[in-house]
């Protein structure tokens, strides 16, 4: 069963068309990331799913119910967890008191101790909310999002403003929630966050989904050319090499190939025959960031996705 279904969603603010025909779904038990730059329409989409904003057109289902129908509001509030960009909490309550109070709003909440531990707040459970750091406050937001034991959790930019340690901590929390059976829809503009967390990703730009897939395959990433890179041995010229290469600005040479096994074999064989080493030898796959930048750059095709004329001869070409 799909926990979220969005088909041809449209939403305008006066003259601004913020969401222009967005479609995607979130399967039960997965982490799905809506990845896109600021202003892409992520929060608008999430707010429609949360029932906070009306849509202009399209079909939307959350746990099988239409969040635009007020008759479902109370039911959805009990079964869906939310972590918004800023939640108002009582500054003079402690962390534990805040979580315990919210637990009382739900019919079958998680245990307060479990949630305190899950969100890494054990040390801070007796601290007043007003004395928490930004990262700790955000973890409390996450705790409040999951105390109701939701089947589905919405996270809007869960780690914006975190330091690297806090981000990794939050990622661990999100993964353990998924492993405990909660489906998660998160928005982010961080490529590494989508890469680290998401089972599937949709890239959204200017109100449209431009690609959907797994972090490993999105935008043809798995079929894109790999880059073999090394420093040319002293006294050699690119023309001496058994594989066509191009020379980079930093003096390194690169060969772009669909499948690197044969080209590597030729290059390393060539070097060993001459008693040479290929300094700094690496094989690079285009990163999710390369793909994302290509997909979100104003209709510019990603350069990394185009077959290169420098592909080593005799290789299977990119499908
Ligand atoms: N309440 C609003 N009134 C008018 N325009 C808005 C409102 N909220 C968002 N927008 C505009 O809609 C577009 C999408 O915004 P948003 O959904 O917040 O994107 P994201 O969350 O991806 O940054 C942006 O151009 C933004 O300026
Ligand atoms: Mg936003």
């Amino acid at each position: 069963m799909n926990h979220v279904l969005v088909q041809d969603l449209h939403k305008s603010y006066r003259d601004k068309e913020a969401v222009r025909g967005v479609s995607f779904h979130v399967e039960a038990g997965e982490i799905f990331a809506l990845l896109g730059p600021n202003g892409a329409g992520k929060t608008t989409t999430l707010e429609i799913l949360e029932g906070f904003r009306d849509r202009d057109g399209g079909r939307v289902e959350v746990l099988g119910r239409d969040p635009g129908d007020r008759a479902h509001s109370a039911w959805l509030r009990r079964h869906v967890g939310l972590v918004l960009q800023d939640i108002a909490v009582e500054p003079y309550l402690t962390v534990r008191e805040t979580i315990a109070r919210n637990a009382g709003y739900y019919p079958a909440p998680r245990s307060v101790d479990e949630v305190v531990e899950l969100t890494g707040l054990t040390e801070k459970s007796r601290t007043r909310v007003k004395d928490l750091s930004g990262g700790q406050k955000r973890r409390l937001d996450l705790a409040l999002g999951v105390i109701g034991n939701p089947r589905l959790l919405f996270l809007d930019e869960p780690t914006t403003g975190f330091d690297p340690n806090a981000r990794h901590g939050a990622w661990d929390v999100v993964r353990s929630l998924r492993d405990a059976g909660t489906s998660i829809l998160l928005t982010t503009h961080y490529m590494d966050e989508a890469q680290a967390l998401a089972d599937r990703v949709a890239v959204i730009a200017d109100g449209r989904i431009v690609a959907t897939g797994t972090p490993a395959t999105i935008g043809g990433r798995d079929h894109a050319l790999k880059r073999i890179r090394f420093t040319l041995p002293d006294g050699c010229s690119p023309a001496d090499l058994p594989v066509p290469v191009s020379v980079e600005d930093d003096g390194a040479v690169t060969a772009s190939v669909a499948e690197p096994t044969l080209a590597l074999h030729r290059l390393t064989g060539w070097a060993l025959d001459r008693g040479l080493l290929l300094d700094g030898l690496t094989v690079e796959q285009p990163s999710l960031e390369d793909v994302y930048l290509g997909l979100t750059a104003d209709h510019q095709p990603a350069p990394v996705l185009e077959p290169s004329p420098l592909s080593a001869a005799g290789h299977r070409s990119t499908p």
Side-chain angles (χ1 to χ4, degrees), residues 3-269:
H3 276 184
V4 174
L5 182 69
V6 176
Q7 279 177 350
D8 200 26
L9 180 65
H10 286 263
K11 175 69 186 178
S12 294
Y13 300 105
R14 282 174 225 93
D15 52 351
K16 169 73 194 175
E17 217 185 336
V19 176
R20 320 173 178 215
V22 160
S23 302
F24 65 91
H25 69 277
V26 180
E27 289 163 21
E30 74 174 346
I31 300 177
F32 187 91
L34 263 185
L35 171 65
N38 285 330
K42 302 183 297 296
T43 296
T44 300
T45 302
L46 218 55
E47 287 176 347
I48 291 168
L49 292 171
E50 289 158 351
F52 295 156
R53 221 174 252 298
D54 291 326
R55 60 188 187 267
D56 297 338
R59 180 172 161 213
V60 175
E61 280 180 16
V62 174
L63 298 176
R65 305 187 183 212
D66 180 352
D69 181 344
R70 297 290 171 255
H72 298 313
S73 304
W75 188 90
L76 285 171
R77 257 202 310 278
R78 286 198 301 274
H79 291 91
V80 178
L82 308 179
V83 179
L84 308 177
Q85 306 234 252
D86 210 7
I87 305 183
V89 281
E90 283 285 340
Y92 289 96
L93 292 183
T94 66
V95 165
R96 199 170 196 294
E97 287 164 349
T98 305
I99 298 171
R101 194 171 71 160
N102 275 58
Y105 301 149
Y106 298 95
R110 279 195 164 89
S111 100
V112 174
D113 289 332
E114 179 204 340
V115 168
V116 165
E117 192 182 329
L118 188 64
T119 50
L121 286 167
T122 309
E123 308 273 283
K124 293 285 159 190
S125 67
R126 300 195 184 284
T127 304
R128 289 184 204 279
V129 170
K130 68 179 180 54
D131 297 326
L132 296 178
S133 73
Q136 291 160 353
K137 170 77 177 8
R138 212 65 190 118
R139 273 187 269 161
L140 176 59
D141 292 341
L142 194 53
L144 298 179
V146 302
I147 185 64
N149 200 12
R151 292 156 68 187
L152 171 66
L153 179 63
F154 293 134
L155 298 173
D156 199 1
E157 307 239 355
T159 65
T160 294
F162 278 32
D163 63 44
N165 276 336
R167 294 184 74 208
H168 284 271
W171 291 351
D172 288 341
V173 173
V174 173
R175 286 192 204 102
S176 29
L177 288 168
R178 187 257 327 265
D179 295 344
T182 304
S183 316
I184 293 160
L185 170 57
L186 66 90
T187 73
T188 186
H189 61 259
Y190 296 122
M191 267 69 66
D192 57 345
E193 185 153 288
Q195 171 86 57
L197 283 183
D199 297 304
R200 290 189 309 124
V201 182
V203 175
I204 181 168
D206 201 17
R208 290 194 177 88
I209 302 281
V210 292
T212 308
T214 66
T217 61
I218 193 162
R221 193 175 159 210
D222 50 335
H223 296 311
L225 299 176
K226 319 280 176 302
R227 230 155 44 129
I228 300 171
R229 183 183 160 89
F230 55 93
T231 306
L232 202 58
D234 281 343
C236 299
S237 86
D240 300 332
L241 297 170
V243 163
V245 294
S246 55
V247 181
E248 305 287 308
D249 290 343
D250 61 3
V253 291
T254 59
S256 297
V257 296
E259 208 297 309
T261 313
L262 180 58
L264 275 175
H265 181 75
R266 287 186 180 163
L267 284 165
T268 53

